[in-house]
Amino acid sequence: MGEIVRDDAAARPRPGNDNGAAQTVTLVASGAWTLNELPDLEMIEAQSASAPGRSIVIDAAQLTAMDTFGAQTLVSLRRRLRAAGHAADIAGLPEKHARLLTFIGAIAPVDPSEPEKAYDRGLVTRVSASVLCGRDEVLSLLNTLGRLAYALANVAVSPKSFRVTSLVHQLDRAGLQAVPIIALITLLIGSIIAQQGFFHFRKFGADEYVVDMVGILVLREIGVLIVAIMVAGRSGSAYTAELGSMKLRDEIDSLSTMGLDPLEVLALPRVLALIIALPLLTFLGSIAALSGGVLTGWLYGNMHPEVFITRLKDAISLTHFEVGMIKAPFMALVIGTVACAEGLRASGSSESVGRQTTSSVVKSIFAVIVLDGLFAVFFAAIGM
Amino acid sequence: MDRAVLEVDRICVSLGGREILRDVSLDVQSGEIFGIVGGSGSGKSVLLRTILGLTPRASGNIRVLGTGIDSGEEQWRHTQRRMGVLFQQGGLFSSLSVKENIQVPMRELCSLPVGLMDAMTDTKLSMVGLGASDASKAPSELSGGMVKRAALARALALDPQIVFLDEPTSGLDPIASGAFDDLILTLRNSLGFAVFMITHDVESLRTVCDRAALLAHGRVVAIDTVPALASSRVEEVQSYFHRRSKFSPATRSIH
Ligand SMILES: Nc1ncnc2c1ncn2[C@@H]1O[C@H](COP(=O)(O)OP(=O)(O)OP(=O)(O)O)[C@@H](O)[C@H]1O
Ligand SMILES: [Mg+2]
């Protein structure tokens, strides 16, 4: 165990010199100054506290071992003493330790006037920073949207340059492969809504209104929302991660330097695939959710499927269906644009790909819900 | 032979509020192999990215193959098709096979018959020393040296007039990197393109480069032929070429 003690014998005033300020204080360091045996830092503080202007010698002749941690501690101690106005020195260090000490001592200390980036910021700062960031993000999103529109216009002018293979591939991934999971989830959600309806409405003897509720809710809101959120989590995140890692591996830059527009080559087929796939998936999801309702009515609500379906025909109209379907392509556009924009913003490390993916999913789900709200206001205004 | 294919005129670049490049000027003549050396973080990659138009600059002018970098998108794209770039990490498209990678520029930028594209792919592959059996491999199945070769083959796909290489030999064993140097020299001699290459390898600098510039703290410290640089009196150049470390603790004394 490393130790440091004040040698009071050596601190006696020298004969003929009663001026306290000129006294020499000796601190004797002994033992092993190594990582696991560093002397107690508080002990060092206590030992070195004295009136400024003294000359202090740290006697290190009795050190048995020293590693970089010990050397750093010694150097810091000397620095602190000097900063406090003492004339501090380290003496008697064995040759091999002296070399290490010189090496560590030559490394300039971190300038405290240059504060490190504060990671643990307060909630208020974080919220206000993210609000300020929000403006930039909206601008960057609009920028991506504009560039996508430009790429689309280019493709419209020369349709030969459009990547049909890529579109088909993305349609398969974002559309076809999503069918089983989306059908399953929407079926479950439809069943749950119906179950809750039967459970609570029964108290008022209003069983048949469950059908109205399930029908309207699913077709107008739940179907498209659930599917959009699933697509954002499933395909949007995949887009961001793909584009992000392509960015890290210089693949995006390679495309640009070949004179190709990464947005046209990579983003456009992906966004178009979503715009085509999401309405189809919404249709499928709505059917599955309604089937879930029928199933629950039959097994739990004592309502024969025929009765359910007859009632459903009366309860819903084409308008409800249209309201849901109209929203789908817009949500797809938002999800695709956010996903691609976030992916292209990845830089530096693979950690940033993870960060962008998280932020892509969070932002697109948020945007989808805001968009849904705006549509609700709009449809109410035009009486749909 | 004496025509500048790359002119960089007093460019300044700032990133993240910090000045990375200051007043960098250099030029590369047609058919020349030009090297950029300098310590880590001295701004070499930033310089390359700026020349390629991937990083915005604060001031200064860049002309590649006679075209100014901001002389209109259409014209710049046209110039880009006559440049080949090998990025530090290769930048091969990971979802495509080696063969498809090499065919991307051919397919996207020209309209060639499929038979000719296939034949040219084989030619380019053997030019960089890869076998026909590597053509169908995915980039993830290649070794580090093979990735560099495949990426070089892609950079050379359209017979560019200037090739940009970012540390082509880093991460290669000495024999492989020697072979890569020979490859660049041979290709340059037979195809006559100019090369702008960033390197950390003094050995490779001596063997392949005609001229070189030393970058330090974002400035060009010296620019000359390689033998002239090697015998230069400038301290930074000397320490770079003769591997003298500025930080040698043993020479300091205890205070
Ligand atoms: N996107 C960026 N944002 C902020 N600073 C950057 C960025 N890219 C590079 N830098 C800074 O620019 C400086 C030069 O970086 P650069 O990548 O050009 O170094 P280099 O000379 O290529 O080094 P190496 O030989 O290690 O590749 C570094 O200090 C780096 O921190
Ligand atoms: Mg670099």
Side-chain angles (χ1 to χ4, degrees):
Chain A
M1 183 74 190
E3 282 194 355
I4 186 162
V5 290
R6 188 165 166 164
D7 183 359
D8 284 320
R12 268 190 315 245
R14 288 185 197 144
N17 186 355
D18 52 4
N19 182 357
Q23 263 179 194
T24 298
V25 177
T26 305
L27 299 177
V28 179
S30 59
W33 284 47
T34 52
L35 175 56
N36 293 317
E37 303 187 64
L38 281 183
D40 189 355
L41 290 177
E42 283 181 15
M43 188 164 79
I44 297 183
E45 291 285 354
Q47 295 296 337
S48 58
S50 61
R54 301 238 179 138
S55 81
I56 298 181
V57 174
I58 303 168
D59 179 4
Q62 295 171 44
L63 277 194
T64 53
M66 186 172 83
D67 61 6
T68 50
F69 291 86
Q72 184 64 58
T73 313
L74 262 183
V75 167
S76 311
L77 174 61
R78 184 177 64 197
R79 254 184 218 137
R80 236 187 1 249
L81 290 174
R82 285 186 180 165
H86 303 292
D89 258 321
I90 299 169
L93 206 58
E95 172 62 20
K96 61 174 183 185
H97 296 334
R99 244 191 252 140
L100 183 59
L101 194 81
T102 318
F103 181 81
I104 299 281
I107 297 168
V110 179
D111 187 356
S113 68
E114 222 175 276
E116 280 179 47
K117 232 198 224 151
Y119 281 104
D120 187 20
R121 287 175 298 172
L123 186 64
V124 176
T125 341
R126 278 211 304 265
V127 168
S128 62
S130 72
V131 168
L132 285 179
C133 268
R135 200 196 51 192
D136 292 348
E137 313 228 325
V138 169
L139 285 181
S140 116
L141 194 66
L142 288 178
N143 179 19
T144 312
L145 209 55
R147 286 168 56 200
L148 269 176
Y150 177 73
L152 188 64
N154 269 348
V155 165
V157 171
S158 56
K160 248 184 70 192
S161 69
F162 184 63
R163 286 156 187 82
V164 180
T165 350
S166 175
L167 176 69
V168 172
H169 176 66
Q170 298 300 339
L171 263 178
D172 175 45
R173 282 184 14 165
L176 209 53
Q177 292 180 19
V179 166
I181 185 68
I182 287 201
L184 178 65
I185 300 261
T186 44
L187 181 89
L188 289 177
I189 300 237
S191 315
I192 293 168
I193 294 175
Q195 188 270 336
Q196 288 293 305
F198 281 116
F199 184 76
H200 293 282
F201 285 17
R202 186 165 289 161
K203 293 176 199 156
F204 315 106
D207 277 25
E208 61 235 50
Y209 289 102
V210 173
V211 180
D212 298 55
M213 182 186 74
V214 171
I216 294 177
L217 206 56
V218 162
L219 288 184
R220 287 187 78 107
E221 295 292 336
I222 299 291
V224 66
L225 258 187
I226 295 291
V227 171
I229 289 174
M230 296 237 1
V231 164
R234 200 182 162 276
S235 307
S237 61
Y239 288 0
T240 309
E242 274 167 21
L243 295 188
S245 43
M246 289 182 79
K247 179 88 187 291
L248 291 198
R249 271 187 294 198
D250 295 338
E251 293 179 37
I252 305 274
D253 288 343
S254 297
L255 270 181
S256 310
T257 51
M258 283 177 198
L260 300 170
D261 179 4
L263 252 91
E264 188 186 320
V265 178
L266 300 172
L268 193 60
R270 286 176 163 81
V271 174
L272 284 182
L274 277 195
I275 291 181
I276 297 171
L278 194 58
L280 296 177
L281 289 173
T282 301
F283 178 69
L284 183 97
S286 303
I287 301 291
L290 291 179
S291 318
V294 172
L295 220 58
T296 311
W298 192 23
L299 300 177
Y300 176 85
N302 296 324
M303 185 183 272
H304 195 269
E306 246 170 62
V307 181
F308 194 108
I309 290 170
T310 316
R311 172 84 203 178
L312 191 65
K313 276 183 190 152
D314 296 337
I316 59 176
S317 67
L318 197 60
T319 316
H320 297 307
F321 175 68
E322 282 168 1
V323 163
M325 293 302 280
I326 288 172
K327 293 191 271 193
F330 291 95
M331 293 184 171
L333 179 65
V334 168
I335 295 171
T337 311
V338 169
C340 294
E342 290 295 315
L344 293 177
R345 278 171 49 172
S347 69
S349 60
S350 36
E351 189 202 340
S352 86
V353 176
R355 210 169 36 227
Q356 295 311 122
T357 308
T358 309
S359 113
S360 150
V361 174
V362 170
K363 276 183 204 158
S364 46
I365 291 179
F366 176 73
V368 158
I369 289 172
V370 169
L371 198 63
D372 194 53
L374 293 179
F375 267 115
V377 174
F378 171 72
F379 286 132
I382 65 167
M384 255 176 109
Chain B
M1 190 77 180
D2 238 346
R3 202 167 49 86
V5 288
L6 170 66
E7 298 155 78
V8 175
D9 185 23
R10 282 172 291 146
I11 58 163
C12 300
V13 175
S14 295
L15 286 174
R18 216 155 52 82
E19 191 169 52
I20 309 287
L21 293 178
R22 169 180 275 160
D23 274 340
V24 172
S25 301
L26 51 87
D27 61 295
V28 178
Q29 304 300 317
S30 134
E32 179 180 44
I33 302 189
F34 189 90
I36 293 279
V37 290
S40 277
S42 55
K44 305 183 294 295
S45 297
V46 172
L47 174 61
L48 176 61
R49 296 178 56 84
T50 311
I51 293 173
L52 296 175
L54 299 170
T55 299
R57 63 197 190 284
S59 64
N61 283 317
I62 296 168
R63 289 174 80 78
V64 186
L65 300 170
T67 313
I69 190 168
D70 22 39
S71 58
E73 194 172 344
E74 208 39 51
Q75 222 177 340
W76 178 244
R77 282 209 173 163
H78 199 72
T79 306
Q80 280 182 318
R81 291 166 194 194
R82 295 187 289 150
M83 324 180 341
V85 185
L86 166 56
F87 283 95
Q88 199 159 351
Q89 318 203 36
L92 289 177
F93 303 121
S94 43
S95 55
L96 303 180
S97 70
V98 169
K99 176 177 159 185
E100 288 167 327
N101 258 290
I102 297 171
Q103 290 186 351
V104 167
M106 303 186 192
R107 208 185 288 269
E108 297 287 343
L109 306 176
C110 331
S111 43
L112 299 174
V114 175
L116 179 59
M117 274 205 300
D118 284 343
M120 284 312 291
T121 312
D122 291 341
T123 312
K124 302 286 170 184
L125 275 176
S126 61
M127 255 164 53
V128 298
L130 287 176
S133 61
D134 300 318
S136 56
K137 285 185 179 156
S140 56
E141 297 168 328
L142 301 179
S143 77
M146 286 159 83
V147 167
K148 296 252 159 87
R149 282 167 186 262
L152 183 65
R154 190 181 67 184
L156 299 178
L158 297 182
D159 285 347
Q161 281 160 287
I162 180 162
V163 183
F164 297 90
L165 311 172
D166 193 347
E167 299 189 21
T169 55
S170 71
L172 299 189
D173 69 74
I175 296 176
S177 81
F180 205 93
D181 291 345
D182 289 345
L183 177 66
I184 304 248
L185 265 180
T186 317
L187 288 178
R188 191 275 305 258
N189 292 342
S190 50
L191 299 175
F193 50 63
V195 179
F196 176 94
M197 74 183 241
I198 295 173
T199 184
H200 271 308
D201 187 345
V202 178
E203 203 48 54
S204 120
L205 186 73
R206 285 183 206 267
T207 9
V208 297
C209 293
D210 303 315
R211 284 192 310 141
L214 177 75
L215 223 58
H217 307 299
R219 287 176 212 239
V220 174
V221 179
I223 180 166
D224 212 331
T225 61
V226 176
L229 279 181
S231 57
S232 162
R233 296 260 133 247
V234 182
E235 190 197 346
E236 274 116 333
V237 185
Q238 274 209 329
S239 60
Y240 195 87
F241 271 80
H242 308 292
R243 303 194 177 202
R244 208 172 296 140
S245 163
K246 274 200 269 181
F247 186 78
S248 48
T251 58
R252 297 188 188 213
S253 56
I254 296 185
H255 345 250

